[in-house]
Amino acid sequence: MGAIMAGRAVVNALPEVRGRLTRHAPLAPLVWFKAGGAAEWLFEPADADDLCDFLAALDPAVPVMPLGLGSNLIVRDGGVPGVVVRLGKPFATATALDDVTLRCGGGASGILVSSTARDAGVAGLEFLRSIPGTVGGFVRMNGGAYGRETADVLVEAEVLLRSGERRTLAAGELGYTYRHSDLPAGAVVIAATFRGQPGAPAAIQAEMDRIAAAREASQPLRSKTGGSTFKNPDGHKAWALVDAAGCRGLRRGDAQVSEKHTNFLLNLGSASSADIEALGEDVRTRVKAASGIELEWEIQRVGNLTDSPRPSGEGVGGGAGVSPSPTSLRGTGPSPQPSPQRGEGA
């Protein structure tokens, strides 16, 4: 069902890094719902080697969770134990290799990928413009929109396994199905190669504009939301089932089912993650009663349900490893609408 309960293990030691480690880092500002608890540790690596070395030296019992743009994520109010890995600017790259192929970093947004493809005259990647996530997220989730999905254009992905092992996996090795891959938990997608076909930049831009206009007309883009909430069951549209069950505008506190697109949940102001998740469960219950169909969560729900220690946001960078604070942990070594999009959170 997409829920991840990581437990409450405390990280007693962390490896040295060249990037930035922040203890009790608030995650609400980093996710679209603007709700939820803190990461026990947030790691923003300097580059792929920094992340590889960190994972290899990290206690295997410590859970690791990648975080992208946070567009398909409910971070529960109790926070996320272990280490959350966020790929920043060093991974936000996109380069044309030839007239049909792009190499992109795991932190590149769908807009960056599609725009780079347009400038290089590579068609077929326009749909990535509509996925509000990063390459890492839509490679992991087989993100897609407007009749296409990642599996249609992915050549291969470079991943770091939880052990720190670096592997390149062809698209056929990822076990893609609808909004799912077989990538193991804790694996981080650091790069991917996509293939399209030759196209005229003006025609590519026109298709990107069409997609952007369709999203604007049908989805609550300027709201605090997580994007597409439930997967489309076989032969059905999730939004239609939600609407038929009378859930349009349904509220729980400041959490609301969007009146513009009923497969979107909104944070109208001060909703907690518990409010948002409970509203989703209310919707699932009503849809099951009305249609006999059990909706499956598409949004990932991660972390603990109860409160974690109060976030402090203390952070370090530049190779220091962790904060010098005496309380810090020190490193041990150096209405009918188009079907909505989905990408990561990761």
Side-chain angles (χ1 to χ4, degrees):
M1 294 298 297
I4 301 173
M5 293 297 292
R8 294 189 170 278
V10 175
V11 181
N12 291 315
L14 289 174
E16 291 272 354
V17 299
R18 289 182 288 109
R20 182 177 179 86
L21 275 166
T22 305
R23 189 183 189 191
H24 295 157
L27 294 179
L30 304 181
V31 301
W32 280 30
F33 273 123
K34 303 304 178 191
E40 186 175 359
W41 288 94
L42 177 67
F43 179 35
E44 298 165 285
D47 51 36
D49 289 339
D50 192 26
L51 178 57
C52 181
D53 293 344
F54 176 82
L55 293 175
L58 185 66
D59 183 342
V62 175
V64 171
M65 187 194 85
L67 174 67
L69 295 184
S71 59
N72 67 324
L73 198 63
I74 294 174
V75 174
R76 287 170 169 153
D77 300 309
V80 180
V83 178
V84 173
V85 174
R86 187 169 187 246
L87 303 185
K89 289 183 179 179
F91 299 87
T93 60
T95 305
L97 300 181
D98 54 40
D99 59 354
V100 294
T101 311
L102 264 65
R103 172 79 169 176
C104 305
S109 69
I111 291 177
L112 175 60
V113 175
S114 58
S115 298
T116 302
R118 173 204 60 208
D119 294 345
V122 179
L125 305 182
E126 297 90 344
F127 75 98
L128 296 176
R129 159 74 177 80
S130 68
I131 299 179
T134 59
V135 164
F138 51 75
V139 166
R140 172 174 286 279
M141 289 189 66
N142 192 19
Y146 301 101
R148 306 210 73 195
E149 58 187 10
T150 302
D152 297 329
V153 295
L154 182 70
V155 177
E156 63 184 23
E158 186 176 356
V159 305
L160 289 177
L161 301 181
R162 173 60 184 83
S163 63
E165 179 187 354
R166 200 166 182 160
R167 294 186 59 189
T168 299
L169 301 175
E173 298 179 79
L174 293 175
Y176 275 142
T177 55
Y178 174 63
R179 304 297 181 263
H180 171 81
S181 78
D182 287 339
L183 274 176
V188 181
V189 177
I190 58 172
T193 302
F194 300 102
R195 180 174 293 135
Q197 60 269 352
I204 295 169
Q205 182 62 57
E207 175 63 6
M208 290 170 62
D209 290 344
R210 184 193 69 82
I211 288 172
R215 290 187 66 222
E216 179 72 31
S218 65
Q219 299 170 14
L221 300 182
R222 290 168 178 77
S223 303
K224 293 188 285 188
T225 181
S228 181
T229 304
F230 303 109
K231 296 180 181 181
N232 289 325
D234 288 344
H236 298 273
K237 295 293 187 182
W239 74 263
L241 293 169
V242 174
D243 203 15
C247 297
R248 185 181 294 268
L250 183 67
R251 289 184 63 165
R252 179 182 279 253
D254 263 0
Q256 182 188 48
V257 176
S258 171
E259 295 186 359
K260 187 172 187 179
H261 195 310
T262 53
N263 199 28
F264 282 60
L265 302 182
L266 308 178
N267 178 357
L268 298 180
S270 59
S272 66
S273 288
D275 293 332
I276 297 166
E277 186 170 1
L279 177 62
E281 291 299 332
D282 289 344
V283 170
R284 294 181 68 240
T285 298
R286 291 190 182 206
V287 168
K288 176 72 170 177
S291 66
I293 295 172
E294 187 167 349
L295 291 177
E296 183 179 352
W297 283 92
E298 184 171 323
I299 286 178
Q300 301 295 297
R301 295 155 295 134
V302 302
N304 295 318
L305 293 171
T306 54
D307 289 341
S308 62
R310 182 166 53 93
S312 64
E314 50 200 40
V316 297
V322 295
S323 168
S325 164
T327 61
S328 296
L329 303 178
R330 294 192 175 273
T332 56
S335 46
Q337 303 98 350
S339 181
Q341 77 293 328
R342 178 77 275 123
E344 158 174 310

